[in-house]
Amino acid sequence: PLVIRAAVHDRLKDTRLTKDQRRAIETILSGKALLVGVQGYAGTGKTTMMRQTASLAGDLVGEAGRSGHKVLGLAPTHSARATLEESAGYESQTVQSLFKDLKAGRVPKDIGRTIVLIDESSFLSTKNMNQILERLISLNPARIVLSGDRRQHGAVEAGRPFDLAQKAGMTTAVLKDVVRLPKDAAHKAQRAGDMTAAEGRMAAAKH
């Protein structure tokens, strides 16, 4: 684990994050798998979750007594990269720009203490997903996180690698609690409807 689970739990217990968001952060920081997934439906707070993950990763001490992990965001397009960097607050680049850097011999600084988040993973083709994972694994980063929504995918040739990775057993945290709507009584029915729809989509995606 990058960070002791008890320390993560203690820091998160008084936050306003949903149970799903807290569980996702624990999966990323306190799990044992190098490659993990975050399946997040629209409005479930993936960005907020990753922003909190980056903050904790930099602050909390790992089991080896070392701290200072950071997050590097990767995105399939320039617009997605800009949105990720602006909203989440950590360094980000496109997948293609990372390929160019690696080809030129430029390896991300402190890669061994870096959590690499591949955002909008469902829009990557199978070819690009295989290529980026192969290169990243060879660099031995602290963690690789695939984040996206398995219901979304890009061109037909994409091959739905994010969906297939989940079906193949990749450790995956699921965000289904809609957080964009206010939690007052007036929006209770709408929130419940959105959650039911998300659960239905999740069930359908398993078949």
Side-chain angles (χ1 to χ4, degrees), residues 134-190:
E134 181 179 353
R135 297 302 301 274
L136 286 174
I137 290 171
S138 71
L139 296 174
N140 197 28
R143 188 80 81 240
I144 302 171
V145 182
L146 303 183
S147 176
D149 183 349
R150 66 196 303 176
R151 297 174 301 113
Q152 298 175 332
H153 57 93
V156 175
E157 57 83 32
R160 302 179 66 84
F162 183 57
D163 177 47
L164 293 175
Q166 292 185 52
K167 290 179 178 178
M170 175 178 66
T171 299
T172 304
V174 179
L175 302 181
K176 64 184 185 205
D177 187 13
V178 178
V179 296
R180 285 179 180 169
L181 293 173
K183 293 190 175 181
D184 55 29
H187 292 83
K188 183 177 181 180
Q190 187 175 353

Side-chain angles (χ1 to χ4, degrees), residues 41-131:
Y41 298 100
T44 55
K46 291 192 300 291
T47 300
T48 298
M49 181 277 298
M50 280 306 304
R51 187 166 54 240
Q52 185 67 54
T53 299
S55 177
L56 292 180
D59 292 343
L60 296 177
V61 177
E63 291 189 342
R66 302 169 62 194
S67 60
H69 287 92
K70 66 177 183 177
V71 174
L72 170 65
L74 298 178
T77 65
H78 288 287
S79 60
R81 180 212 62 78
T83 298
L84 181 63
E85 191 165 271
E86 180 179 350
S87 59
Y90 43 76
E91 179 186 355
S92 302
Q93 63 183 118
T94 65
V95 170
Q96 288 302 321
S97 71
L98 179 63
F99 279 142
K100 290 180 181 179
D101 285 347
L102 295 177
K103 187 175 182 180
R106 296 187 296 269
V107 177
K109 186 178 179 181
D110 297 325
I111 188 65
R113 302 197 60 73
T114 299
I115 299 169
V116 182
L117 166 73
I118 306 178
D119 198 33
E120 302 291 359
S121 295
S122 47
F123 287 94
L124 288 177
S125 68
T126 299
K127 179 180 178 180
N128 281 344
M129 179 72 83
N130 289 341
Q131 287 178 335

